[in-house]
Amino acid sequence: MLNKYVHVTLRYKTGHLNFVFRKISKYLDKDISSKVIREKFLNYFIEEKGHKFVKSSPVIPFCDPTVPFVNAGMNQFKGIFLGLQTPQYPKVVNSQKCIRIGGKHNDLNNVGRDGYHHTFFEMLGNWSFGNYFKKEACQMAWELLTKVYKLPASRLYVTYFSGNTELNLPPDEETKHIWSTIGVEEERILPFGETDNFWEMGLVGPCGPCTEIHYDHMGTVNRAQLVNRGLHDLTEIWNIVFIEHNRKQDGSVQLLPKKHIDTGLGFERLTCALQGKVSSYDTDNFTYLMKAIQKNCSGISEYSGHFGEQDWNNVDMSYRTLADHVRMITVSLGDGAIPEQNHKLRRILRKCFYLSETVFKKDKGLTKELSNYVVENLGQVYPEIERNVDQIHQIIDYEENVYHNLRKSSEKELQKLIKENAKLTTIDPIDIAPNVLTAYKELHESKCKIIDDKLAYRLYDTHGMDEELILQVSNVLDIEFNPLSFAKGLDDAKLESKKKSAEMKFSINIEPTIPRTDDSSKYFYSKGRRGYSFPPVECKVLNIIQNDLSTSEAGENCVCSLILDKTNMYCAAGGQDSDRGTIIFEHSQFDVKELLNIDGRILHRGVVRSGTVRSGSLGTIKPDEAARIANMCNHTGTHLLNAAVKKIKRASCQKSSKVTDSYLNLDVAIFGAKLDISDVVSIEDTISSLIKKQIEVKVSIVDSQQLYKYDEITLIPGEVYPDNNIRIIEVTDGSAFISREPCCGTHVLNTSDLEDFCVIGMKSLGRSTQSVTAVTGDRAKLARQNAVRLSEEISLLKKSLGDNMDKPELIEVAVGRIKKKLNFDARDNTIIPLVFKDAALADLQVVNGQLKQIGKQNLKNFIEMEMEDALQSNIGTSKSNKKYIVHYLRSSVVLDSVPLQKATKLCPNMPVLIVSYSDNIVKARCCVPKEFQNEYFDAQTWLTETVATVFDSEVRPSKNQAGDAICNMKPKKVHIQEWDTLLKEAMKLAKKYVHDNL
Ligand code: SER
């Protein structure tokens, strides 16, 4: 079992590892490279034993919510073991990328301290799906190790399952016998219990007794008693699992329909054995990285392979940790993992940045540079790593910037807090971030003595803190906290929220006897010369629900839900809205407004338009075809948009999407430069050309085995896809454009049906996410027509400027009118293309420029008038009943430059914070008279924590002034598209801060 060494042997403390006796076998080729070792394994099973090669699945378990990362070669075959999928081949072999940093198999804490625990490792494995079993599996493993690799049998031990009475499982005498028949000496065949010899993938799922092969690096005397004792020089290398059972939620095990073989040979450990090393870091799986670290960091001593006390300054441990983590990072990012959604991956990245900075004295770029070496080394075996190298680089860069910014922004606060409580220095530096400090302050102020599960859950939810972080903070504050109980509490809370939503859904009383609705015909549509046709479906009313209760009939105008035996209407899923439509009965008609799926029973919600609908009535369903087609166009449009964004931005990932009959919306995280207007132009060009090329939208149905075979497929991390019946929607234009996504939605059959595509909106949501709204077909045409009209209006305005110079208010009114038109809702008929809106805003800025000319003369008046007005109507009151002003100087937009002191001077008797925006530059100034300052509130903190954070700028005291009293924010350029959202956020924060702290 490659996972179980939780005790680090004490021998490291004396640095024994370097002095082990390494004479192995005269036949062993110690110069064998890891590449050849891997090839020999695969070739043995493919060429000599008739196995089929299956490529490694991504390390993100897209079809399995029970494990955080793929942690064994067998993960991708789980569906086969459980009898849910039919295997394509009875015998397969592979080398699987595995990650163990959490959950049942967690190796993270040992990484770097010893020579054989890794967050990322490769597992070589052979499988039999209902084909060969124990005897053949043991024979082949033995033959490969002793005959092909030529490992001496005198260094090998085997173990078998000694049985478990609780599980009602007898000792595995059969395996014992098999080993003995193979010729293994009796004293080398050792029994072990459930912990060592009963393999389980996770808390639930396929499992079974196993037999392991252990390798003794010393090999001088019989060390059978030391097997499974956590010795670094006597380790398990191969685990052969006899998958026979399924562990269920209640803890019991149940026999599976068929018996299977699942084996895992630790590649790094095998390499150690074959290359005559005890530590993986001395094999060629790592030496290239150790050299690369030294080469890239001048002045650092070379890796010397010391452990424990001999590694007195922990430099070797840092080498090992960095090398291990860089492999894990490169592989997981290459497979599409997103650190934002994976706390553990993010911590590992931060650990690398921290080590780079502190031990290896490289401020930035080392992790990225090292990832190139990993790509070079592993890219030949796993081509996806090579293919996604841009994505890997972009995310590392992005994360490194975020890390440094967080460190910078928390540094001052941290130093302040450390003065009060020196124990804060014990928090792992990689965890110091504003959210942690805020949580610390909150806990400190609340003076609570215990962090119970509920409070811990709140810290997790609001501050994104995991159990490790909460534990660190609780230690600093001497507050009691039980991380184990929290893990359970977290599960309970998740369950509770699931239950709540289920209860909400199930407050509707549905007879359990009512069968599930067959909605497969929602996909049965075709396209002829007259366009799309949706064959009507004959249905039967199984039940009527009115006011959440079951009833047998519903009369005219009655608002209710019908449960039908069949339907061809689409029920909201995968971001796509429900269909609308009509059901025609012999003497009545029902209008469907939306659909709801309750455990497979589909409720058609709506109103009886005429007659009476009865339980048992037979009818014909007619979906609103125009709405359905618009949904289909928008859904395909969303996929094209997603792929087009990926094409230009590489490291991007869909966060959510919404498809309606009037617009589509895609929230996408981009790790690097955000989308700008030129990107929008290029996205629109790409999609227009796909529309013009009339490309077929292909649909295929696959299972999870086939899903992993695609080289390029857009999977959403965190999304769990079913094992079977996964619909793949594909639009490809050679290699120039590939959109391939699993999706349950309904799509057009050809890209030409979209007719047109245009982006109508784009905004930022948080640090990395952008939300893009677009329209297709007639709505795209409508947007373009609206643009033509508006463009005429703007031309007229520009022309009339000269005539109205003396009447600036007239121009302002006209500008205001046009601006209003530029602010529409995506459902409106006044939508306009974003590209046009951008140009129009630029035009209006020119007009504003003209107004500024007039403004210059009236500068003083403008500001004074507005501030006087603010003093009348914009004064806020804090918690402690004190007055303050937080104000955005609207008039600034028509001014060339804004002397903010003019504004603040007008209200000297209260705290005031003013923001201005002129020529795309935001400025802010704030003054807090001495008598209003307190421990938590002064000019510097007020501006820093709020407006300056939002605009990502710095705060400095005003010239010759104390920072507590008067501060300015360094002017910052902000694009007009971002302005409204950021301003709103800044004002909200500034008001909340003064309200709470003044
Ligand atoms: N599933 C077993 C393991 O991970 C063998 O592949 O050890």
Side-chain angles (χ1 to χ4, degrees):
M1 215 160 291
L2 296 173
N3 53 290
K4 68 189 166 210
Y5 298 114
V6 282
H7 309 291
V8 181
T9 166
L10 288 173
R11 305 180 78 205
Y12 294 144
K13 294 245 161 80
T14 54
H16 260 213
L17 233 76
N18 303 305
F19 305 113
V20 283
F21 180 58
R22 288 202 188 134
K23 190 164 165 283
I24 301 184
S25 154
K26 62 178 176 179
Y27 303 111
L28 203 68
D29 166 17
K30 276 187 275 157
D31 294 329
I32 187 171
S33 70
S34 54
K35 193 169 163 236
V36 173
I37 295 173
R38 199 190 287 106
E39 272 167 17
K40 278 197 177 196
F41 179 88
L42 297 176
N43 286 344
Y44 173 78
F45 283 101
I46 298 169
E47 285 162 16
E48 291 182 36
K49 304 291 168 192
H51 287 56
K52 183 83 191 168
F53 174 76
V54 173
K55 72 173 195 177
S56 169
S57 70
V59 289
I60 304 161
F62 289 106
C63 296
D64 189 350
T66 65
V67 284
F69 274 107
V70 164
N71 60 1
M74 56 85 73
N75 289 193
Q76 63 169 310
F77 306 119
K78 188 176 164 187
I80 300 180
F81 294 150
L82 292 175
L84 304 171
Q85 290 171 348
T86 325
Q88 278 180 299
Y89 314 101
K91 300 190 276 185
V92 303
V93 61
N94 89 348
S95 102
Q96 172 68 43
K97 298 168 285 181
C98 297
I99 288 182
R100 290 188 178 172
I101 54 166
K104 188 171 159 61
H105 302 292
N106 184 355
D107 290 346
L108 181 58
N109 294 337
N110 293 323
V111 169
R113 293 178 198 282
D114 65 28
Y116 62 100
H117 276 102
H118 304 292
T119 52
F120 163 76
F121 62 93
E122 292 174 75
M123 193 184 272
L124 304 172
N126 56 298
W127 280 269
S128 147
F129 304 127
N131 193 273
Y132 61 82
F133 203 46
K134 294 186 178 180
K135 190 170 135 218
E136 298 84 340
C138 294
Q139 274 171 347
M140 287 188 280
W142 195 257
E143 182 179 67
L144 180 63
L145 290 183
T146 57
K147 302 267 164 18
V148 179
Y149 289 129
K150 299 193 170 55
L151 281 177
S154 60
R155 282 171 180 261
L156 299 174
Y157 297 89
V158 295
T159 65
Y160 68 96
F161 181 48
S162 59
N164 181 300
T165 37
E166 242 170 72
L167 295 174
N168 206 12
L169 298 170
D172 188 2
E173 293 296 336
E174 184 189 350
T175 303
K176 184 181 177 201
H177 179 71
I178 293 170
W179 285 123
S180 143
T181 322
I182 288 174
V184 182
E185 293 167 16
E186 290 299 314
E187 65 268 27
R188 288 176 178 269
I189 310 175
L190 314 163
F192 282 93
E194 192 197 352
T195 332
D196 296 301
N197 278 72
F198 193 84
W199 199 85
E200 307 198 47
M201 178 183 151
L203 296 174
V204 292
C207 53
C210 57
T211 180
E212 296 176 343
I213 305 178
H214 292 244
Y215 180 75
D216 184 1
H217 290 262
M218 302 285 280
T220 42
V221 286
N222 185 320
R223 299 207 294 165
Q225 304 90 320
L226 296 175
V227 167
N228 271 340
R229 293 285 180 86
L231 296 195
H232 67 274
D233 52 11
L234 176 47
T235 55
E236 174 234 337
I237 53 170
W238 202 336
N239 184 17
I240 300 163
V241 186
F242 311 125
I243 300 273
E244 294 176 85
H245 306 279
N246 181 21
R247 170 83 77 173
K248 300 205 299 188
Q249 279 291 359
D250 63 7
S252 64
V253 293
Q254 184 190 44
L255 266 184
L256 287 168
K258 280 188 179 164
K259 294 183 195 314
H260 312 276
I261 289 291
D262 151 33
T263 88
L265 173 58
F267 175 61
E268 288 74 6
R269 291 187 187 178
L270 175 69
T271 310
C272 271
L274 294 175
Q275 293 182 353
K277 312 283 186 206
V278 179
S279 159
S280 294
Y281 299 96
D282 295 330
T283 69
D284 66 345
N285 284 317
F286 281 93
T287 42
Y288 72 94
L289 268 176
M290 300 315 208
K291 282 186 200 137
I293 294 174
Q294 201 208 1
K295 189 175 147 205
N296 281 281
C297 308
S298 49
I300 191 89
S301 55
E302 78 179 310
Y303 176 68
S304 58
H306 287 131
F307 290 83
E309 279 163 13
Q310 283 202 343
D311 179 24
W312 63 275
N313 54 2
N314 284 341
V315 168
D316 280 349
M317 183 162 89
S318 303
Y319 258 105
R320 288 186 288 270
T321 310
L322 184 59
D324 169 274
H325 287 7
V326 167
R327 282 179 11 125
M328 182 272 175
I329 289 165
T330 311
V331 168
S332 54
L333 295 182
D335 272 343
I338 303 294
E340 265 189 8
Q341 292 169 357
N342 190 317
H343 283 308
K344 290 241 158 63
L345 171 58
R346 191 164 242 184
R347 290 196 86 224
I348 287 180
L349 274 151
R350 289 184 181 174
K351 182 92 194 189
C352 289
F353 304 144
Y354 178 74
L355 288 176
S356 304
E357 206 183 349
T358 54
V359 180
F360 298 103
K361 310 287 178 230
K362 270 291 242 209
D363 272 358
K364 275 192 178 174
L366 180 60
T367 309
K368 178 166 116 179
E369 182 56 17
L370 294 177
S371 74
N372 285 325
Y373 290 83
V374 180
V375 173
E376 192 76 23
N377 185 270
L378 290 175
Q380 298 161 14
V381 193
Y382 308 106
E384 56 280 15
I385 304 179
E386 187 125 41
R387 211 170 30 239
N388 296 328
V389 63
D390 291 348
Q391 175 163 320
I392 297 169
H393 285 170
Q394 240 171 285
I395 297 187
I396 295 177
D397 275 346
Y398 173 84
E399 286 293 324
E400 194 157 33
N401 281 335
V402 171
Y403 169 76
H404 283 289
N405 287 343
L406 285 179
R407 288 283 301 257
K408 217 162 54 194
S409 59
S410 8
E411 199 48 41
K412 197 176 147 218
E413 182 74 5
L414 176 67
Q415 293 314 329
K416 200 166 119 193
L417 293 172
I418 284 178
K419 277 190 200 137
E420 293 162 18
N421 183 354
K423 273 177 86 181
L424 262 164
T425 48
T426 59
I427 294 189
D428 194 335
I430 62 167
D431 291 324
I432 294 293
N435 63 326
V436 177
L437 297 182
T438 313
Y440 166 85
K441 279 194 282 185
E442 255 179 52
L443 287 169
H444 182 51
E445 276 158 29
S446 75
K447 299 200 167 41
C448 67
K449 292 271 162 276
I450 176 161
I451 301 179
D452 59 15
D453 297 345
K454 213 166 134 202
L455 176 57
Y457 181 70
R458 204 176 61 70
L459 294 171
Y460 164 85
D461 204 32
T462 25
H463 300 298
M465 293 171 71
D466 60 11
E467 66 206 62
E468 224 161 302
L469 263 178
I470 302 176
L471 187 65
Q472 291 193 52
V473 174
S474 70
N475 284 338
V476 171
L477 284 166
D478 277 329
I479 304 178
E480 207 178 300
F481 171 60
N482 180 347
L484 291 177
S485 145
F486 166 63
K488 193 183 166 300
L490 189 61
D491 283 348
D492 289 351
K494 281 182 187 161
L495 206 70
E496 192 56 29
S497 86
K498 261 194 206 155
K499 255 196 345 219
K500 266 200 190 128
S501 66
E503 271 161 19
M504 269 163 60
K505 273 163 66 179
F506 284 93
S507 66
I508 302 172
N509 225 344
I510 297 182
E511 297 275 335
T513 49
I514 295 176
R516 289 166 174 239
T517 312
D518 171 8
D519 68 342
S520 50
S521 51
K522 66 189 176 198
Y523 296 126
F524 301 163
Y525 48 90
S526 55
K527 200 181 151 196
R529 251 180 296 151
R530 289 216 204 115
Y532 280 93
S533 69
F534 301 84
V537 159
E538 306 298 321
C539 66
K540 182 175 170 184
V541 178
L542 300 181
N543 201 355
I544 302 173
I545 310 240
Q546 192 188 358
N547 297 330
D548 296 348
L549 292 173
S550 178
T551 173
S552 54
E553 60 174 52
E556 198 164 308
N557 294 328
C558 174
V559 177
C560 58
S561 301
L562 310 185
I563 303 184
L564 309 176
D565 62 340
K566 297 199 242 1
T567 187
N568 57 356
M569 293 181 93
Y570 186 82
C571 177
Q576 181 180 329
D577 272 0
S578 284
D579 278 344
R580 303 188 290 268
T582 317
I583 309 175
I584 297 162
F585 299 98
E586 201 178 352
H587 302 295
S588 57
Q589 201 164 320
F590 185 82
D591 287 344
V592 182
K593 307 275 185 221
E594 69 165 323
L595 288 86
L596 183 69
N597 184 334
I598 298 186
D599 200 20
R601 277 71 88 39
I602 297 179
L603 271 64
H604 295 64
R605 288 182 149 175
V607 58
V608 181
R609 198 196 306 166
S610 63
T612 300
V613 179
R614 294 194 171 75
S615 206
S617 297
L618 299 176
T620 309
I621 315 175
K622 296 197 163 159
D624 175 336
E625 296 191 359
R628 162 60 93 85
I629 295 170
N631 271 332
M632 288 171 15
C633 287
N634 286 338
H635 207 150
T636 306
T638 310
H639 283 212
L640 300 183
L641 173 61
N642 197 6
V645 171
K646 180 115 209 147
K647 193 169 146 119
I648 49 173
K649 289 292 174 190
R650 306 300 305 163
S652 72
C653 135
Q654 173 178 333
K655 287 209 142 169
S656 67
S657 68
K658 176 146 186 67
V659 174
T660 75
D661 58 352
S662 49
Y663 69 93
L664 64 98
N665 179 263
L666 177 76
D667 289 352
V668 61
I670 297 170
F671 307 100
K674 289 193 169 182
L675 290 170
D676 61 19
I677 208 72
S678 67
D679 296 323
V680 172
V681 174
S682 129
I683 288 169
E684 288 182 339
D685 286 349
T686 305
I687 298 181
S688 298
S689 119
L690 296 166
I691 294 173
K692 276 199 203 99
K693 285 187 180 164
Q694 309 187 355
I695 300 171
E696 186 194 345
V697 178
K698 286 192 205 134
V699 180
S700 40
I701 315 286
V702 302
D703 65 14
S704 61
Q705 304 290 308
Q706 292 154 308
L707 184 72
Y708 291 137
K709 289 217 173 94
Y710 288 109
D711 277 340
E712 286 190 53
I713 185 152
T714 305
L715 300 173
I716 305 172
E719 183 85 28
V720 178
Y721 300 96
D723 284 314
N724 294 310
N725 281 327
I726 308 169
R727 286 174 76 80
I728 306 288
I729 311 297
E730 191 175 326
V731 177
T732 51
D733 181 14
S735 58
F737 183 90
I738 298 175
S739 159
R740 189 182 288 125
E741 282 187 46
C743 176
C744 60
T746 54
H747 287 261
V748 288
L749 302 176
N750 193 290
T751 55
S752 60
D753 297 330
L754 266 63
E755 290 177 11
D756 195 359
F757 175 95
C758 111
V759 174
I760 57 166
M762 187 159 78
K763 62 177 183 202
S764 295
L765 302 172
R767 199 175 1 221
S768 63
T769 306
Q770 275 181 293
S771 178
V772 185
T773 307
V775 285
T776 59
D778 285 345
R779 304 238 340 129
K781 288 179 197 152
L782 174 72
R784 296 193 198 284
Q785 284 156 10
N786 289 340
V788 172
R789 272 200 296 275
L790 205 55
S791 135
E792 280 160 12
E793 217 173 299
I794 295 173
S795 305
L796 272 177
L797 171 71
K798 286 206 284 200
K799 267 189 217 143
S800 68
L801 255 182
D803 305 338
N804 292 315
M805 268 318 208
D806 54 335
K807 293 182 211 113
E809 59 288 353
L810 275 188
I811 308 171
E812 268 193 82
V813 170
V815 169
R817 201 175 51 228
I818 296 171
K819 271 197 167 166
K820 221 167 152 191
K821 290 188 183 169
L822 294 175
N823 274 325
F824 48 84
D825 185 276
R827 285 175 199 275
D828 293 348
N829 281 339
T830 48
I831 48 172
I832 49 167
L834 182 70
V835 176
F836 173 79
K837 179 174 170 174
D838 193 71
L841 283 170
D843 274 346
L844 293 184
Q845 261 190 312
V846 173
V847 175
N848 274 336
Q850 311 271 353
L851 280 175
K852 272 180 205 163
Q853 297 302 325
I854 312 166
K856 257 190 195 160
Q857 291 122 40
N858 301 323
L859 177 64
K860 196 161 164 275
N861 295 353
F862 264 131
I863 295 180
E864 264 175 22
M865 267 159 51
E866 190 174 336
M867 284 311 291
E868 268 160 25
D869 191 40
L871 275 165
Q872 299 283 323
S873 56
N874 200 9
I875 294 188
T877 313
S878 76
K879 234 191 223 171
S880 58
N881 228 2
K882 296 194 181 109
K883 307 266 179 250
Y884 65 84
I885 287 195
V886 173
H887 185 73
Y888 162 54
L889 212 53
R890 277 185 307 278
S891 53
S892 60
V893 81
V894 296
L895 300 177
D896 236 357
S897 67
V898 190
L900 280 179
Q901 66 271 30
K902 268 193 204 310
T904 48
K905 224 166 54 198
L906 293 167
C907 29
N909 299 325
M910 65 180 91
V912 52
L913 189 154
I914 305 285
V915 177
S916 71
Y917 185 58
S918 171
D919 246 351
N920 289 344
I921 302 284
V922 57
K923 286 197 211 169
R925 177 180 170 90
C926 107
C927 310
V928 176
K930 189 127 199 80
E931 61 274 30
F932 292 96
Q933 295 171 12
N934 65 40
E935 196 185 342
Y936 303 105
F937 184 72
D938 57 42
Q940 176 102 24
T941 41
W942 190 13
L943 200 53
T944 310
E945 299 273 324
T946 62
V947 181
T949 305
V950 173
F951 292 109
D952 196 15
S953 185
E954 287 163 34
V955 170
R956 292 183 193 142
S958 190
K959 218 177 185 178
N960 302 329
Q961 300 282 351
D964 298 348
I966 305 179
C967 276
N968 291 313
M969 185 182 84
K970 194 174 162 197
K972 181 92 196 246
K973 199 169 176 112
V974 174
H975 195 277
I976 183 95
Q977 297 278 2
E978 307 268 25
W979 172 243
D980 279 345
T981 324
L982 292 179
L983 174 68
K984 234 187 248 164
E985 176 70 12
M987 299 306 272
K988 195 173 94 192
L989 282 182
K991 282 182 189 161
K992 182 167 173 5
Y993 192 89
V994 61
H995 178 263
D996 293 350
N997 294 305
L998 175 61

